[in-house]
């Protein structure tokens, strides 16, 4: 075979091989691009699914919680002018409700209910409903000069259940008649945010548990934050690298993963043994949650301190700063945003905890907000747990409302922490 023909065959084979290689490369590139697109779609789908779950959670909680912020109220008029013989100065003194009770206000309210709601109307009012009227008169004594006062007072639990379609069969026609007449309504209950726990879903409130949570969180942050930050600084900047330091680091990492109920047992065995008279107090609850939160702050603090560039330390030392000045004037301010992020995570976990607080007795029925750190108290998660265990549907609605309050409290606390983190954040 002649040489030109051989060259032609060789060139054709090379072109064929090159074409095959290009085809294989194009196929591999197509597979890569397809894989990239599929990965992006999978990521987008995961984000969309997470957003849908979040929206579903928020919408379901908001719709359920909206009913929990309302209560059934009866509306009628109360004649006032010349009906109560009471010294106006007495209304400005402590316990004006007792003076109004002696003046006959409860009987007046019952009589007005009988007239405005029909026979048996007084029995449809919740126990102590007249105290709402007493509070209005005490806040504004000039109401005694008005011809009448339009009232909107809480109904009994049975009538509220009948309005929802539950409760006694005999009360349902009564509830329907009052609803049609515009005398039984579902009104927003502002007192839910100002009252404490009660035995009736019509009378319960969230302020006692909310105040207990605020006081407990204050104790937790005051104890856990400085101790956790100082421990992180020592372990990262000053502690020698030996077996004891390694043992401490392993112990802190293990403490961060310990079930929360173990810290409750620790609080029960240690804190209540030292302070036996402070059972269910915010002080004991805060100390218990501080033990649980501290390892998270230490771990996040060490990571934030470790992330500060060594050049910052070297430059500060070269300018004549002492090691302590380097740590507190340069390293700590730069690491503070990361430390606050860990603190947010730890405090959010502490805010939602129930098990350790149940162990130290913070599940008691508390009918009044705590006065100080040593007063009996409960917290929002425990209050939600107790209400969710009730059979009455009214308590279930109140549970949803309390969850909404807990979420808002958590968002406000996290928002404050994020603001502080951004406020102190520095870039280099």
């Amino acid at each position: 075979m002649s040489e030109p023909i051989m060259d032609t065959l060789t060139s054709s084979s090379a072109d064929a091989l090159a074409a095959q290689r290009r085809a294989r490369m194009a196929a591999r590139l197509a597979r890569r691009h397809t894989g990239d697109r599929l990965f992006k779609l999978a990521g987008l789908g995961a984000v969309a699914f997470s957003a849908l779950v979040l929206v579903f959670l928020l919408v379901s909680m908001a719709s359920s919680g909206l009913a929990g912020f309302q209560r059934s109220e009866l509306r009628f008029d109360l004649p006032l002018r010349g009906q109560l013989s009471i010294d106006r100065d007495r209304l400005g003194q402590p316990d004006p409700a007792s003076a109004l009770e002696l003046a006959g206000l409860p009987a007046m309210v019952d009589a007005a209910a009988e007239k405005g709601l029909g026979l048996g109307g007084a029995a449809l009012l919740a126990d102590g409903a007249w105290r709402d009227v007493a509070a209005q008169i005490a806040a504004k004594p000039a109401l005694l000069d008005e011809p009448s006062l339009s009232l909107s007072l809480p109904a009994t639990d049975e009538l509220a259940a009948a309005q929802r379609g539950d409760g006694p069969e005999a009360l349902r026609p009564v509830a329907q008649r009052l609803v049609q007449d515009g005398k039984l309504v579902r009104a927003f209950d502002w007192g839910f945010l100002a009252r404490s726990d009660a035995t009736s879903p019509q009378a319960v409130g969230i302020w006692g548990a909310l105040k207990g949570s605020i006081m407990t969180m204050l104790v937790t942050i005051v104890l856990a934050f400085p101790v956790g930050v100082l421990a992180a600084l020592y372990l990262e900047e000053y502690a020698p690298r030996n077996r004891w330091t390694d043992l401490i680091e392993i112990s802190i990492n293990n403490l961060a993963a310990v079930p929360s109920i173990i810290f409750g047992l620790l609080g029960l065995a240690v804190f209540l043994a030292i302070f036996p008279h402070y059972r269910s107090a915010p002080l004991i609850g805060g100390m218990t949650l501080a033990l649980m939160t501290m390892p998270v702050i230490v771990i996040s603090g060490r990571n934030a301190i470790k992330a500060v560039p060594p050049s910052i330390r070297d430059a500060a030392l070269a300018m004549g700063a002492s090691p302590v000045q380097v740590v507190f004037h340069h390293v700590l301010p730069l690491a503070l945003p990361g430390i606050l992020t860990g603190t947010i995570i730890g405090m959010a976990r502490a805010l939602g905890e129930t098990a350790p607080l149940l162990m130290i007795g913070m599940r008691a029925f508390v009918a009044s907000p705590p006065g100080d750190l040593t007063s009996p108290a409960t917290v929002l998660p425990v209050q939600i747990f107790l209400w969710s265990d009730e059979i009455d549907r009214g308590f279930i609605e109140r549970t949803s409302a309390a969850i909404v309050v807990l979420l808002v409290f958590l968002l406000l606390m996290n928002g404050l922490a994020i603001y502080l983190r951004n406020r102190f954040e520095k870039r280099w």
Side-chain angles (χ1 to χ4, degrees), residues 230-413:
L230 291 176
L233 284 174
Y234 176 77
L235 290 174
E236 196 61 35
E237 297 291 333
Y238 299 105
R241 300 296 178 228
N242 53 36
R243 289 180 299 176
W244 292 110
T245 305
D246 295 339
L247 180 61
I248 292 174
E249 293 178 359
I250 294 173
S251 301
I252 292 174
N253 292 332
N254 289 334
L255 282 175
V258 167
S260 60
I261 195 170
I262 303 300
F263 292 99
L265 292 173
L266 180 61
L268 178 64
V270 177
F271 298 142
L272 285 182
I274 301 175
F275 307 104
H277 302 295
Y278 294 159
R279 187 178 182 86
S280 76
L283 177 63
I284 303 300
M287 294 167 67
T288 303
L289 294 180
L291 293 178
M292 186 186 71
T293 307
M294 204 179 305
V296 179
I297 297 177
V298 173
I299 293 172
S300 61
R302 291 194 62 193
N303 291 333
I305 294 169
K306 192 180 300 183
V308 176
S311 57
I312 300 293
R313 298 176 175 85
D314 297 338
L317 291 172
M319 294 298 294
S322 67
V324 174
Q325 289 176 326
V326 170
V327 170
F328 286 96
H329 293 178
H330 301 278
V331 175
L332 184 58
L334 293 175
L336 192 58
I339 295 174
L340 288 177
T341 300
T343 304
I344 293 172
I345 297 173
M347 293 299 295
R349 178 190 175 191
L351 178 62
E353 283 296 338
T354 303
L357 301 180
L358 292 177
M359 296 301 299
I360 62 172
M362 293 191 76
R363 60 167 297 163
F365 178 83
V366 181
S368 59
D372 52 43
L373 296 177
T374 59
S375 301
T378 187
V379 291
L380 274 174
V382 176
Q383 189 71 81
I384 292 170
F385 167 75
L386 295 176
W387 285 351
S388 65
D389 199 36
E390 297 287 344
I391 300 176
D392 195 324
R393 181 181 167 186
F395 276 109
I396 303 302
E397 293 177 347
R398 296 296 197 179
T399 300
S400 300
I403 292 174
V404 172
V405 174
L406 178 61
L407 290 176
V408 171
F409 184 30
L410 178 62
L411 290 176
L412 290 176
M413 188 179 71

Side-chain angles (χ1 to χ4, degrees), residues 167-257:
E169 290 283 349
L171 279 179
R172 294 183 188 180
V174 178
Q176 292 177 0
R177 174 180 61 83
L178 292 173
V179 169
Q180 292 174 357
D181 295 340
K183 297 179 179 180
L184 178 61
V185 298
R186 292 283 293 177
F188 191 88
D189 183 18
W190 291 103
F192 178 71
L193 302 175
R195 296 189 300 266
S196 296
D197 199 6
T199 57
S200 167
Q202 287 280 97
V204 297
I206 204 68
W207 171 240
L210 180 60
K211 186 177 180 181
S213 289
I214 293 173
M215 297 172 72
T216 302
M217 289 297 101
L218 286 176
V219 174
T220 301
I221 192 67
V222 167
L223 294 178
F225 185 74
V227 175
V229 172
L230 291 176
L233 284 174
Y234 176 77
L235 290 174
E236 196 61 35
E237 297 291 333
Y238 299 105
R241 300 296 178 228
N242 53 36
R243 289 180 299 176
W244 292 110
T245 305
D246 295 339
L247 180 61
I248 292 174
E249 293 178 359
I250 294 173
S251 301
I252 292 174
N253 292 332
N254 289 334
L255 282 175

